Amino acid sequence: MDKKKILTEEAIPGMIVAEDIYGLQDYLIISAGTEITNHSITRLKFYAIHEFYIMVNDEGETEQKKAIEENFSDSYSEHIKKTPEFKKFQEAFQKFNEDFKKQVSIISGKLKEPINEKKLFSSMKSILDNTRNGIHIMHMMHCMRDSDDVTYTHSLNVALLCNAFGHWLKYSEEDIHALTLAGLLHDIGKLTVPSAIMMKPSTLTPMEFELIKNHPKEGYLLLESEKLDKRIKLAVLQHHERIDGTGYPKGLMDNDIDNFAQIVSIVDIYVAMISPRIYRRANCPFEAMSVFEQEGFRKFKPEFILIFLENMANIYVNCTVRLSDERIGEIVMIDSRNITKPMVKVGEEFVDLSKQKDLFIRELI
C-alpha cells in the first residue's frame, strides 16, 4: 500500500487517510486509517489544513470505501419555495446578483469603476425588505443554496447573514450597513483569479491553489483606494485569519484581527458548510453549528461565537427535523448550555438530545 498527497479541495468521502493529520501545537485532527466523511472534510477546512496524504494501491489508484450518501429531504425547502414571500425574495436576490456583477467587474486586474457603496446597499435593501428578520433571512437563504453562480451567491448570502448578525450584536444602523457590505465584498479578490482556475474541474496544482489563497491580499489591493469604511477593507484582508495564528495571509492573532473580519469569518465558514459543493452535499445546519460549538472557540472570539450559535439555533425552534434514528419530530426548546442538542417532541414524547450522545439531528424536513 502506498500514499499520495492531495489538496483538501480534492477530498471525497470514502478516501482513507494515510498519515495522522495534526493542527497547531500537535493537536490531532484526524488519525491515519480514518475514512474521510463530509464532516471530516469540513473539519479540515475549519482548521485550515490545505493538503494531506491518502492511501493508494500499488497501481496508484485511490483506496476508497463506498461512501454512503445521506438522503437529505428537500421538503423543508420545497415548502418555503411555494410561498409568495420566497418568490419576491428570489426575484430581488437574482436581480441583485446581476447588478453586483456589473458593479464589481474587473479589467486588467483593477475595478472597472469605483465601488458605489450607496448604490450597493440600496440594491441590497430590496432583498432585505422582502425578509422580516434574521430568522426569515435564513429560511429564504436555505432555498437559494443550489445557485450555479457560487462566488456571487455565496457573497450575497454572507452579506445577508452578516446583516442579521449585526442586529443580534445590537450594532448601530451605520455599523450594520458597513458590516453587511464587508460580507458582500469579502471575496472580491477571487475575481482576480483566472476563471479557468476557479472553475477547474480537475486537480488544482499547488501553484494554482496558492493563487486562490492569495485572494484576501488581492481583494484588499482592489479596495485600498476606494472610499469605503476601513473595517470593510480589513474584513476583506483578514477574513481567513484565526485568533490562534493559524490563518492567512499574515497569521494574525487575537485582537490584531479586526472585529468585522472575525464576524465575516464565522459567517463565511457557516454559509460554506450549509451549501452544497462538488465534493459533498450540504451539511445540516445543526451539524455545522456543532463544529463551531466543539472547536470554534480556538479560532474565533468567544463573544461572537456564543451570540452566533444562540441566535442560529433559535432560528430552528418549531422546525420539523429528522433524527439520526429516522424518527421525525419538532424542535421545541433550545438548551443554552448545549445549543446543538435541543429538546425535540416526537409524537407525545419529549426527547432531550443533550442526554443522548448518540442521537442527533440529521436534517430539516
Side-chain angles (χ1 to χ4, degrees):
M1 198 66 65
D2 206 348
K3 63 183 180 181
K4 76 170 182 178
K5 184 183 288 187
I6 66 165
L7 298 173
T8 303
E9 295 289 339
E10 304 172 271
I12 298 172
M15 289 179 169
I16 309 299
V17 176
E19 293 184 357
D20 290 343
I21 303 173
Y22 290 93
L24 190 69
Q25 298 176 338
D26 294 329
Y27 176 76
L28 181 63
I29 300 173
I30 301 177
S31 58
T34 301
E35 178 183 352
I36 289 291
T37 63
N38 286 337
H39 184 76
S40 53
I41 293 172
T42 298
R43 292 190 74 219
L44 291 173
K45 288 177 168 290
F46 190 86
Y47 278 94
I49 302 298
H50 304 301
E51 55 188 14
F52 63 98
Y53 285 96
I54 60 168
M55 296 174 67
V56 295
N57 60 27
D58 295 336
E59 286 73 42
E61 297 173 339
T62 301
E63 285 294 308
Q64 184 173 342
K65 295 181 180 178
K66 185 176 180 181
I68 300 174
E69 277 287 326
E70 297 289 357
N71 212 0
F72 291 107
S73 167
D74 290 327
S75 57
Y76 172 74
S77 294
E78 291 305 317
H79 171 73
I80 295 172
K81 286 179 180 179
K82 292 176 182 178
T83 64
E85 287 177 311
F86 174 74
K87 292 177 182 177
K88 291 180 180 178
F89 177 89
Q90 184 180 41
E91 288 175 6
F93 190 103
Q94 292 172 341
K95 183 179 185 306
F96 178 86
N97 248 358
E98 293 304 314
D99 291 342
F100 182 43
K101 288 180 195 178
K102 294 174 184 176
Q103 288 196 56
V104 296
S105 59
I106 292 174
I107 298 177
S108 301
K110 295 183 179 180
L111 289 170
K112 184 178 178 182
E113 56 186 49
I115 295 287
N116 189 328
E117 183 176 351
K118 186 176 181 180
K119 184 178 179 181
L120 268 180
F121 194 80
S122 176
S123 298
M124 175 160 285
K125 194 172 183 300
S126 66
I127 302 175
L128 294 168
D129 286 346
N130 283 294
T131 60
R132 296 187 292 272
N133 48 39
I135 294 175
H136 199 225
I137 285 174
M138 282 307 302
H139 289 324
M140 298 293 108
M141 279 174 53
H142 271 292
C143 300
M144 298 299 297
R145 293 183 303 175
D146 54 357
S147 170
D148 293 331
D149 213 338
V150 176
T151 298
Y152 293 99
T153 298
H154 173 77
S155 294
L156 180 49
N157 282 334
V158 170
L160 291 171
L161 190 46
C162 278
N163 183 276
F165 205 156
H167 283 95
W168 298 337
L169 291 165
K170 296 181 170 53
Y171 279 178
S172 68
E173 285 303 315
E174 181 181 353
D175 285 348
I176 292 173
H177 176 112
L179 179 59
T180 303
L181 290 178
L184 184 65
L185 296 171
H186 80 284
D187 264 348
I188 192 171
K190 285 186 176 179
L191 302 182
T192 66
V193 180
S195 58
I197 294 176
M198 288 299 300
M199 305 301 292
K200 188 177 179 180
S202 56
T203 302
L204 291 174
T205 67
M207 186 176 294
E208 289 171 337
F209 189 61
E210 285 302 314
L211 277 175
I212 292 178
K213 259 186 75 177
N214 205 40
H215 77 270
K217 287 182 181 178
E218 293 297 328
Y220 181 79
L221 291 174
L222 280 173
L223 301 180
E224 191 173 20
S225 61
E226 296 291 316
K227 294 180 180 179
L228 294 170
D229 190 306
K230 181 182 178 181
R231 296 170 297 180
I232 295 175
K233 299 176 185 180
L234 287 176
V236 171
L237 179 63
Q238 299 176 355
H239 70 277
H240 282 291
E241 300 285 3
R242 302 292 181 259
I243 63 171
D244 61 2
T246 59
Y248 62 89
K250 294 184 177 181
L252 299 178
M253 298 181 71
D254 297 323
N255 292 327
D256 289 332
I257 305 172
D258 183 78
N259 282 346
F260 271 28
Q262 282 274 300
I263 295 166
V264 171
S265 297
I266 292 168
V267 175
D268 180 35
I269 292 175
Y270 180 78
V271 171
M273 284 181 178
I274 65 168
S275 301
R277 291 292 182 263
I278 293 172
Y279 55 83
R280 63 160 173 79
R281 302 194 65 138
N283 287 318
C284 169
F286 278 87
E287 180 181 0
M289 284 187 280
S290 72
V291 175
F292 278 103
E293 189 175 49
Q294 296 164 21
E295 306 172 41
F297 295 95
R298 300 186 186 96
K299 300 292 179 180
F300 306 103
K301 292 181 179 178
E303 59 265 34
F304 293 137
I305 285 289
L306 288 169
I307 289 173
F308 179 75
L309 287 176
E310 183 177 354
N311 282 278
M312 287 304 304
N314 282 324
I315 282 173
Y316 300 105
V317 171
N318 298 324
C319 281
T320 303
V321 296
R322 188 188 308 277
L323 302 180
S324 54
D325 63 1
E326 299 302 321
R327 286 186 293 169
I328 293 174
E330 179 183 309
I331 296 174
V332 292
M333 188 173 69
I334 299 292
D335 182 354
S336 61
R337 296 165 301 178
N338 200 340
I339 288 170
T340 58
K341 290 280 194 173
M343 181 79 71
V344 179
K345 185 180 180 184
V346 179
E348 297 302 314
E349 178 187 1
F350 288 89
V351 180
D352 187 350
L353 296 183
S354 67
K355 295 179 180 177
Q356 302 193 39
K357 292 184 178 180
D358 296 330
L359 193 60
F360 57 90
I361 294 173
R362 185 182 298 280
E363 61 175 320
L364 302 175
I365 60 174

